[in-house]
Amino acid sequence: MKQGVAWEEGIAKGAAVAAWRLPHSAEAFLLQDFSGGTLLKEGWNLSDLAAGFLAAPFIGLPYFLQADSLTTFSLGNAGPKALAESSVENSSKKSEFMGWVAAAIQTIKQGPLQKVVLSRTDEQVLPADFKVMTALEELGAAYPSAFICALSIPALSGIWMCATPEILVEQNAEGIFRTISLAGTQSGVDGDGFAISPSQARWSQKEIEEQAFVSRYIIDCFKKIRLREYAEIGPKTISTGNLLHLKTEYLVDTKAMDFPQLPGLMLGLLHPTSAVCGTPKQEAVEFILATEKHDRLLYSGYLGPVNLSNTTHLFVNLRTVEIKGNQATFYAGCGITEDSDPAKEWQETQMKCQTLQRILMQ
């Protein structure tokens, strides 16, 4: 696997390296920034960046990887692995997380917080034969509708991998801008291990309202920049491997509106979205920082290629894992409203961790 050699050689030479495949694509990319990547400064502008790759944390400035070297390759035809549960329930973590959820519910009932997204981690030891590019190939086969990525930036001293379905900001060569509202989660597999059709999904009021918070947040961002001409498609149920979600798409023709700066403006307004943070944003961020004991780092940030062939594809970094040596830290979160059940929210994070664990840990 030539790209595997290029990946390892790039890291050994101190380069920042990103390998990715867009949803529903057979073509993958491997980019190297020989300088190790650049931490952008306040006031940076998306349209001013050269062709490259962006990776931003939940809170803070993004890293930019310039495309000093960019090659394309195929991820191959590796078959997806079985839908086996690989996550072992940790009773102390479960108790702690359910306590966070219970505290969030009480805070929401008191107001003004309406929704908050809480996350947790799950630490596991990787198999002895684990290879990043082999795992990327297997993720690509298992999740054709997700953005698949492996990323190494020297300043972060680790490798990040993700398989995320959530577009944050996207613009194609024709100038069509797109963002999505994605929230609400249920298992995409029945008790016998068979996939559940999206048409069979039944959503609770809590899940419908959780997704509506995200949709309203996007529309509020449009209002802030006085954007009224947009198409809204959804909500509808989508399948992402072992999970089902509610999704609404928002489309804007930036060329027809003569609005080329829209992607950069919306990126600044949207991140972090209520899908990974909560509503109102400031109150949600404060609750998260005061409650969670781990640093989210790149989890619930955003990443993806920018200004490549006049296109930009930035995704929220969900279903993600941080790898250091043979240690893997999986991140997962869930949206809490006043109708949440702590035990069900814990189970949701279990399902989300398994998105990557069932591929990487077997």
Side-chain angles (χ1 to χ4, degrees), residues 129-242:
D129 60 350
F130 177 82
K131 296 289 185 183
V132 170
M133 297 308 290
T134 300
L136 191 71
E137 184 173 280
E138 292 169 345
L139 284 174
Y143 301 109
S145 62
F147 174 72
I148 308 299
C149 178
L151 173 69
S152 174
I153 299 175
L156 300 180
S157 68
I159 294 168
W160 288 79
M161 299 189 72
C162 73
T164 176
E166 185 166 354
I167 296 166
L168 180 61
V169 165
E170 184 175 74
Q171 182 153 302
N172 65 20
E174 288 70 45
I176 303 300
F177 168 90
R178 181 162 70 132
T179 187
I180 69 170
S181 162
L182 188 75
T185 302
Q186 61 179 268
S187 177
V189 182
D190 64 21
D192 297 319
F194 293 102
I196 298 173
S197 167
S199 63
Q200 296 176 309
R202 297 295 180 266
W203 297 98
S204 69
Q205 183 61 36
K206 181 263 179 186
E207 292 159 333
I208 292 170
E209 183 64 18
E210 183 186 344
Q211 199 260 347
F213 276 127
V214 186
S215 297
R216 288 196 291 268
Y217 179 75
I218 291 172
I219 292 172
D220 284 344
C221 289
F222 285 156
K223 289 179 179 178
K224 287 179 180 179
I225 56 175
R226 299 181 181 180
L227 176 66
R228 297 180 178 86
E229 296 181 31
Y230 59 87
E232 182 176 349
I233 304 170
K236 62 182 179 180
T237 302
I238 65 164
S239 173
T240 59
N242 61 329

Side-chain angles (χ1 to χ4, degrees), residues 6 9 13 46 71 74 81 90 113 123 168 170 198 205 215 217 219 288 294 296 355:
E9 288 182 345
K13 293 177 180 178
L46 180 63
T71 57
S74 172
K81 295 188 176 182
N90 183 307
L113 189 63
E123 293 78 26
L168 180 61
E170 184 175 74
Q205 183 61 36
S215 297
Y217 179 75
I219 292 172
I288 289 167
H294 57 278
R296 290 191 178 189
T355 299

Side-chain angles (χ1 to χ4, degrees), residues 69-356:
S69 170
L70 182 67
T71 57
T72 62
F73 63 96
S74 172
L75 280 180
N77 299 308
K81 295 188 176 182
L83 289 169
E85 293 191 6
S86 59
S87 178
V88 177
E89 190 168 281
N90 183 307
S91 59
S92 62
K93 278 184 174 288
K94 180 178 181 180
S95 177
E96 179 181 60
F97 184 76
M98 288 174 62
W100 296 352
V101 174
I105 293 170
Q106 291 304 312
T107 302
I108 290 168
K109 288 180 177 179
Q110 296 168 9
L113 189 63
Q114 296 174 297
K115 169 192 170 183
V116 64
V117 180
L118 291 176
S119 70
R120 69 174 183 89
T121 61
D122 187 11
E123 293 78 26
Q124 295 197 27
V125 178
L126 290 168
D129 60 350
F130 177 82
K131 296 289 185 183
V132 170
M133 297 308 290
T134 300
L136 191 71
E137 184 173 280
E138 292 169 345
L139 284 174
Y143 301 109
S145 62
F147 174 72
I148 308 299
C149 178
L151 173 69
S152 174
I153 299 175
L156 300 180
S157 68
I159 294 168
W160 288 79
M161 299 189 72
C162 73
T164 176
E166 185 166 354
I167 296 166
L168 180 61
V169 165
E170 184 175 74
Q171 182 153 302
N172 65 20
E174 288 70 45
I176 303 300
F177 168 90
R178 181 162 70 132
T179 187
I180 69 170
S181 162
L182 188 75
T185 302
Q186 61 179 268
S187 177
V189 182
D190 64 21
D192 297 319
F194 293 102
I196 298 173
S197 167
S199 63
Q200 296 176 309
R202 297 295 180 266
W203 297 98
S204 69
Q205 183 61 36
K206 181 263 179 186
E207 292 159 333
I208 292 170
E209 183 64 18
E210 183 186 344
Q211 199 260 347
F213 276 127
V214 186
S215 297
R216 288 196 291 268
Y217 179 75
I218 291 172
I219 292 172
D220 284 344
C221 289
F222 285 156
K223 289 179 179 178
K224 287 179 180 179
I225 56 175
R226 299 181 181 180
L227 176 66
R228 297 180 178 86
E229 296 181 31
Y230 59 87
E232 182 176 349
I233 304 170
K236 62 182 179 180
T237 302
I238 65 164
S239 173
T240 59
N242 61 329
L243 300 175
L244 297 174
H245 302 287
L246 282 168
K247 181 181 83 168
T248 302
E249 292 185 74
Y250 297 88
L251 306 174
V252 180
D253 188 336
T254 63
K255 288 188 177 180
M257 297 186 64
D258 192 23
F259 201 171
Q261 67 271 36
L262 179 62
L265 285 174
M266 285 301 291
L267 180 61
L269 289 171
L270 286 172
H271 178 70
T273 75
S274 61
V276 299
C277 179
T279 305
K281 180 188 285 190
Q282 187 58 40
E283 285 81 353
V285 169
E286 290 174 358
F287 189 89
I288 289 167
L289 296 180
T291 302
E292 294 180 356
K293 294 182 179 179
H294 57 278
D295 188 338
R296 290 191 178 189
L297 302 171
L298 293 186
Y299 167 68
S300 68
Y302 61 82
L303 73 177
V306 295
N307 301 329
L308 287 177
S309 302
N310 296 316
T311 67
T312 289
H313 304 272
L314 292 172
F315 294 79
V316 182
N317 190 18
L318 304 175
R319 317 299 180 267
T320 190
V321 59
E322 179 189 16
I323 299 169
K324 290 187 175 182
N326 67 345
Q327 300 293 316
T329 300
F330 297 87
Y331 293 78
C334 52
I336 313 302
T337 70
E338 63 178 334
D339 297 320
S340 290
D341 179 315
K344 289 182 179 178
E345 302 300 346
W346 166 263
Q347 186 57 40
E348 180 176 324
T349 65
Q350 286 283 87
M351 290 190 298
K352 288 177 175 177
C353 282
Q354 288 165 10
T355 299
L356 266 65

Side-chain angles (χ1 to χ4, degrees), residues 45-54 64-67 305-308 312:
N45 193 308
L46 180 63
S47 61
D48 292 338
L49 297 178
F53 191 96
L54 271 181
F64 175 67
L65 281 61
Q66 183 168 297
V306 295
N307 301 329
L308 287 177
T312 289

